[in-house]
Amino acid sequence: MLNLIKKEIALCVHPTAFIFLFFAVLVFVPNYPYEVIFFFSCLSIFFCCMMTRENGDIAFSCALPVKKEHIPFAKMLVVFGLQCIILLLVGVIAAIKGAVLPAEQYVNQAGISANLVLVGNGAILLGTFNLIFFPCYFKKPDKIGVPFVIGAIVVFFVIVVFIVLRWVTPLYSTTLNGLNSENTGAKSVALAIGIVIYAVLSAVSCKLSIKNFQRVDL
């Protein structure tokens, strides 16, 4: 499994997967829908899978002395690692923003502020994309466009839901908004819920993907 992961990183990870990690600094952009940052992580997955297809990596991996179910598992582990990094970076850079900017400049008019809740929201978005994209992708690894488009549409729908909640519910507009130093307990609970949802959705996605890939005739 470790060798498969190394192979994935060396041969299948598109450069955008690393470049888009730096998009975490977009939390410094005033009045920006910060959840969009996590969409770029989803976009990098599309590029990685496209690179996998163009290099004929699936057929190559199946020719290796490894279990067939390990092939999608290794790819998804690499993706999960990259997703955890972007979540961590957004959390760290958001904390830096809260420390260096005045409180009035921290308020985001386009959605939730850059705080712990944003990281929880991002985890939900990434988990949702994983659940939609990977099981569809591993049914037909040479067909990438449709699974990505469906996943992207759902992700942007959830982003819109988060933005609407920011303005129509006191929970999001007051309690979960603003600096991490305010209502820290509630924000921490929202973060924990987001992480749990991400873990559950990603685990289900992984199980379904392996099951679907076992049926692929290569």
Side-chain angles (χ1 to χ4, degrees):
M1 178 59 68
L2 182 59
N3 288 331
L4 272 178
I5 292 175
K6 290 179 179 179
K7 186 270 299 177
E8 285 291 327
I9 296 174
L11 301 180
C12 300
V13 176
H14 194 270
T16 55
F18 301 109
I19 294 171
F20 288 161
L21 293 176
F22 294 98
F23 280 27
V25 299
L26 288 174
V27 297
F28 274 97
V29 177
N31 302 324
Y32 183 80
Y34 297 132
E35 284 90 353
V36 174
I37 294 170
F38 301 102
F39 167 73
F40 290 107
S41 179
C42 301
L43 183 59
S44 71
I45 295 173
F46 170 75
F47 288 134
C48 289
C49 291
M50 183 181 293
M51 190 170 179
T52 296
R53 182 187 65 185
E54 300 307 316
N55 289 338
D57 183 77
I58 295 293
F60 169 72
S61 298
C62 288
L64 297 175
V66 297
K67 293 182 179 180
K68 191 174 181 181
E69 61 266 26
H70 287 176
I71 296 171
F73 189 45
K75 180 176 288 294
M76 295 182 74
L77 284 179
V78 172
V79 168
F80 296 160
L82 291 169
Q83 290 175 340
C84 289
I85 291 173
I86 189 65
L87 290 170
L88 179 62
L89 287 175
V90 168
V92 171
I93 296 175
I96 295 173
K97 177 183 177 180
V100 301
L101 291 183
E104 60 273 12
Q105 295 183 22
Y106 192 78
V107 177
N108 181 17
Q109 300 298 331
I112 200 76
S113 299
N115 56 24
L116 294 175
V117 182
L118 172 65
V119 179
N121 289 353
I124 294 173
L125 290 168
L126 294 175
T128 300
F129 182 82
N130 292 343
L131 182 61
I132 295 171
F133 177 78
F134 282 112
C136 294
Y137 165 69
F138 280 110
K139 277 185 179 179
K140 296 181 179 179
D142 58 331
K143 305 294 184 182
I144 308 169
V146 172
F148 173 74
V149 170
I150 296 173
I153 290 173
V154 175
V155 164
F156 274 104
F157 174 78
V158 178
I159 290 174
V160 170
V161 170
F162 284 141
I163 294 174
V164 171
L165 289 174
R166 155 71 173 89
W167 289 107
V168 303
T169 63
L171 175 63
Y172 265 79
S173 61
T174 303
T175 306
L176 299 181
N177 202 26
L179 295 165
N180 287 326
S181 57
E182 304 168 351
N183 303 310
T184 306
K187 290 182 174 67
S188 299
V189 170
L191 171 63
I193 291 173
I195 292 175
V196 169
I197 291 175
Y198 170 80
V200 171
L201 294 181
S202 297
V204 173
S205 171
C206 193
K207 184 176 181 179
L208 292 175
S209 298
I210 292 173
K211 183 178 179 180
N212 290 341
F213 189 69
Q214 290 278 32
R215 300 171 180 170
V216 175
D217 185 8
L218 295 172

